[in-house]
Amino acid sequence: MTKALIVIDVQMDFCPGGALAVPDGDQVVAPINAMMAQYDAVLMTQDWHPGDHSSFASQHRDAAEYDMIEMPYGPQVLWPEHCVIDSAGAQFHPDLDLRGDLILRKGYRREIDSYSAFFENDQSTATGLHGYLQERGISDVTLVGLATDFCVAFSALDAARLGYDVTVDLTACRAIDLDGSLAAAISKMQTAGVHLRDALG
Ligand code: VGL
Ligand code: ZN
């Protein structure tokens, strides 16, 4: 069994004081650093948007942040501007151990968002991560990071669909929790057979 740790979007804009701050987002850094040595590979994703990205509320007339709109590929939440390419907010948290093998950027095409590390939000445009993991012979993935109910959950559900043995370690994740999105994400992950690790083990 070859296992990878996939660290999702531990970036300044998702930490307290950031543009799309996840409550206690910075609390994931220490547990994630402590986990790294137990894995054969450590991968990180980096949310990485052009300044005019279509997921930003600022790009839509008569729209407010956190509104839900219909895009050609399906429903999309409109976010505050965050993780703009090369901005300070797009940088990894300075205490995150960057010993990782691979950094995968996502969401860099203006017309389409990408929550998942595997597929963009049309659910069919591949990022290439599946091919990378296959070539490295990785069968088991553990996901940690930000945010539990968006990028972590979408990545976990795609990984399960692709046939990996998937664990989400909730002790090293934090959620945005928009209108019940955390409960919905947990229930979808349970149905998909994702192992959820919490403080009780
Ligand atoms: C994320 C919203 C927008 C995440 C990224 O990392 O969960 N959420 N972009
Ligand atoms: Zn984003």
Side-chain angles (χ1 to χ4, degrees):
M1 186 240 289
T2 308
K3 49 187 192 152
L5 182 66
I6 305 182
V7 180
I8 303 289
D9 299 359
V10 181
Q11 293 166 259
M12 292 308 283
D13 270 343
F14 298 121
C15 291
L20 179 36
V22 178
D24 292 331
D26 56 342
Q27 300 296 306
V28 305
V29 174
I32 290 173
N33 286 345
M35 291 169 76
M36 288 182 181
Q38 301 159 31
Y39 292 83
D40 303 298
V42 177
L43 287 59
M44 330 241 164
T45 64
Q46 190 171 26
D47 212 39
W48 195 249
H49 301 309
D52 59 352
H53 195 249
S54 58
S55 77
F56 296 166
S58 57
Q59 296 298 308
H60 301 264
R61 213 182 287 273
D62 299 326
E65 291 176 357
Y66 306 104
D67 279 357
M68 183 79 108
I69 63 157
E70 206 54 44
M71 296 286 250
Y73 53 81
Q76 171 72 47
V77 179
L78 294 180
W79 301 107
E81 294 183 8
H82 64 279
C83 297
V84 172
I85 292 173
D86 274 340
S87 67
Q91 302 310 306
F92 290 111
H93 189 288
D95 298 334
L96 182 69
D97 186 336
L98 292 180
R99 74 171 79 182
D101 304 15
L102 177 81
I103 293 173
L104 181 98
R105 288 174 170 162
K106 60 185 180 61
Y108 46 77
R109 265 186 277 274
R110 195 189 67 80
E111 330 69 59
I112 185 165
D113 205 1
S114 187
Y115 293 151
S116 167
F118 293 93
F119 295 99
E120 301 190 33
N121 284 9
D122 61 5
Q123 314 256 355
S124 63
T125 306
T127 63
L129 181 58
H130 183 40
Y132 176 86
L133 293 173
Q134 281 182 314
E135 279 208 308
R136 298 232 8 213
I138 288 161
S139 54
D140 291 42
V141 296
T142 295
L143 292 112
V144 291
L146 306 171
T148 320
D149 41 347
F150 287 93
C151 293
V152 174
F154 275 66
S155 300
L157 292 168
D158 281 345
R161 181 156 61 93
L162 291 167
Y164 295 93
D165 188 292
V166 186
T167 299
V168 170
D169 189 331
L170 294 170
T171 67
C173 297
R174 291 294 183 277
I176 297 175
D177 204 9
L178 205 62
D179 291 331
S181 57
L182 178 58
I186 296 282
S187 126
K188 276 190 201 160
M189 289 193 281
Q190 283 169 331
T191 304
V194 172
H195 310 290
L196 297 176
R197 189 178 303 145
D198 59 23
L200 303 173

